């Protein structure tokens, strides 16, 4: 019985080691579904707010819905530049209230497509993985804020994906 247990443990260890090695070699294809879900959900949240309410903000200290959306999209652009340029990437967002709902959504679709393609083309490494996690976390943080804006306007947010 002890030999069977040892063999089973060794077999399990080999399988776990092989699966860990596979996940760390190559690129980020394993992340494609999460990247696409983040894009789709963020776009759905941006679409949920009526255009007339893009100027809404809960109080004077907070950004408008449009400015939050702009910040989300600009940060996608910034993260991609930071991934490729490192510390040379400049943060210069400009006027966060300068785009219409349609412009923001179109810009978001473009920037998500660009960063997702960029990530999926890369060989995996710890530094980029940490950056991708930061990108997804930042997006989720601000998307959560604008979901609160939707709720304050009495709008049910899209179902989480």
């Amino acid at each position: 019985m002890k030999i069977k247990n040892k063999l089973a443990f060794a077999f399990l260890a080999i399988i776990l080691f092989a699966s860990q090695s596979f996940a760390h070699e190559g690129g980020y294809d394993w992340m494609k579904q999460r990247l696409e879900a983040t894009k789709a959900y963020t776009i759905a949240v941006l679409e949920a707010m009526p255009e007339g309410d893009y100027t809404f903000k809960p109080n004077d200290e907070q950004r408008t819905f449009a400015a939050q959306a702009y910040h989300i999209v600009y940060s996608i652009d910034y993260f991609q530049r930071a991934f490729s340029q490192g510390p040379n990437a400049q943060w210069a967002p400009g006027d966060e209230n300068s785009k219409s709902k349609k412009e923001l959504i179109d810009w978001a679709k473009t920037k998500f497509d660009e960063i997702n393609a960029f990530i999926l083309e890369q060989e995996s490494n710890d530094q980029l993985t940490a950056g991708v996690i930061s990108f997804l976390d930042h997006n989720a943080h601000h998307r959560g804020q604008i979901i609160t804006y939707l709720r304050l306007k009495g709008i049910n947010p899209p179902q989480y994906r």
Side-chain angles (χ1 to χ4, degrees):
M1 191 66 151
K2 287 184 178 184
I3 291 176
K4 282 186 177 179
N5 286 343
K6 287 180 181 179
L7 287 174
F9 179 75
F11 182 70
L12 181 61
I14 289 169
I15 290 174
L16 288 174
F17 177 76
S19 66
Q20 291 262 336
S21 295
F22 179 73
H24 294 290
E25 290 179 13
Y28 290 96
D29 286 347
W30 57 273
M31 192 176 274
K32 185 175 183 176
Q33 185 178 3
R34 173 70 328 209
L35 294 171
E36 287 299 321
T38 297
K39 173 190 172 187
Y41 188 48
T42 303
I43 298 299
V45 171
L46 297 179
E47 290 173 341
M49 182 66 90
E51 184 164 9
D53 289 328
Y54 260 58
T55 58
F56 171 74
K57 60 181 182 175
N59 61 50
D60 290 339
E61 289 83 39
Q62 292 180 287
R63 290 178 167 121
T64 63
F65 186 92
Q68 286 283 18
Y70 186 102
H71 179 78
I72 289 170
V73 182
Y74 181 79
S75 69
I76 296 167
D77 177 68
Y78 173 77
F79 271 100
Q80 183 178 350
R81 287 184 288 112
F83 293 159
S84 60
Q85 299 173 13
N88 295 326
Q90 297 296 311
W91 179 265
D95 182 1
E96 291 184 328
N97 288 297
S98 64
K99 294 190 182 294
S100 70
K101 176 181 178 175
K102 181 183 180 335
E103 289 171 328
L104 285 165
I105 291 170
D106 289 346
W107 189 33
K109 289 175 182 176
T110 298
K111 289 300 164 186
F112 269 115
D113 287 345
E114 289 174 1
I115 197 168
N116 290 357
F118 176 85
I119 291 166
L120 294 172
E121 291 169 357
Q122 304 306 305
E123 288 294 316
S124 63
N125 65 70
D126 291 346
Q127 183 178 0
L128 181 57
T129 300
V132 171
I133 291 168
S134 292
F135 153 65
L136 293 171
D137 184 53
H138 183 265
N139 180 272
H141 169 73
H142 289 288
R143 187 179 59 222
Q145 288 177 318
I146 62 174
I147 286 171
T148 301
Y149 287 30
L150 292 174
R151 292 185 187 283
L152 289 169
K153 295 299 287 178
I155 300 167
N156 287 330
Q159 182 66 38
Y160 179 73
R161 301 173 188 185

